[in-house]
Amino acid sequence: MRPHEYCGCGRTLALPSRRTVLTALACAAAAVPSLAAPAAAQVAADDARFMRMALEQARIADFPFGAVIVKDGKVMARGRNMGRTFGDPTAHGEMVAIRRFLDQYPAAALRGTTLYTTGEPCAMCMGAILWCHIGRLVFAASVAQLATKIDQIMLSAADVAATAKFAPISITGGVLADEAMALIDNISR
């Protein structure tokens, strides 16, 4: 290629070296976390705030698990374990919250919501969460933590989600896990 064809002015342009390009990219990548830090801090604060609401539900449940469904920063539905009260083994906090949501809104409105729950969802609840296309799951105590105190099906939410490519979901665990586990410690068997 002739120089004037390259730059259009007849001069030869000096291209940056590979090292210069890589250094610039590395510097740009290093700057990104500092820009994202305020957003991440806000997400963490919101997660704690909504998890506290789920913990409130767990405190009044017939077995200490609670859930809330949030969309655009607004609580759309709340649920708590009601299995003993209703004689319904499917009345877990997540299922009750989903049913209450659906009593007021169309199923399509669940897309993009966040479900906060005090315990990592069991396989049944996680299946429902995925079928509803809930966009994000935030839980407190993990299945492994819960299994140290109560019976659990040893299948993580992430394992169930990995089998459902049709329903991508973001999962965050461990938010206020100690508070959730303290509720489990207080149950009488």
Side-chain angles (χ1 to χ4, degrees):
M1 195 183 299
R2 296 185 315 220
H4 71 279
E5 289 178 333
Y6 180 75
C7 70
C9 66
R11 292 184 299 195
T12 303
L13 295 177
L15 295 175
S17 70
R18 182 172 180 254
R19 178 177 287 162
T20 303
V21 171
L22 291 175
T23 302
L25 288 173
C27 289
V32 171
S34 64
L35 296 175
Q42 183 60 47
V43 168
D46 286 347
D47 286 352
R49 179 169 60 103
F50 292 122
M51 187 60 73
R52 288 193 195 294
M53 292 178 190
L55 286 162
E56 288 172 16
Q57 290 297 303
R59 284 184 190 93
I60 59 173
D62 62 17
F63 200 75
F65 290 99
V68 296
I69 298 174
V70 176
K71 187 167 193 166
D72 299 325
K74 179 183 174 198
V75 175
M76 306 295 286
R78 300 169 196 265
R80 61 184 178 270
N81 267 43
M82 301 294 288
R84 293 176 178 176
T85 302
F86 297 148
D88 178 357
T90 69
H92 291 191
E94 301 94 334
M95 299 295 284
V96 171
I98 290 168
R99 289 174 185 147
R100 287 180 176 167
F101 185 100
L102 294 173
D103 283 345
Q104 295 183 15
Y105 309 100
L110 278 166
R111 289 184 181 269
T113 60
T114 299
L115 189 144
Y116 292 86
T117 181
T118 59
E120 185 172 4
C122 69
M124 173 188 70
C125 292
M126 192 61 199
I129 289 165
L130 293 168
W131 284 116
C132 291
H133 293 277
I134 289 172
R136 183 165 182 248
L137 166 68
V138 180
F139 65 85
S142 70
V143 168
Q145 289 173 300
L146 294 167
T148 65
K149 304 289 182 181
I150 59 174
D151 294 334
Q152 288 293 297
I153 297 172
M154 297 305 294
L155 189 60
S156 74
D159 288 341
V160 176
T163 67
K165 303 294 184 203
F166 63 89
I169 188 167
S170 169
I171 300 174
T172 302
V175 176
L176 304 181
D178 291 341
E179 291 184 40
M181 287 304 293
L183 294 175
I184 298 296
D185 287 339
N186 293 330
I187 62 172
S188 59
R189 291 189 185 208

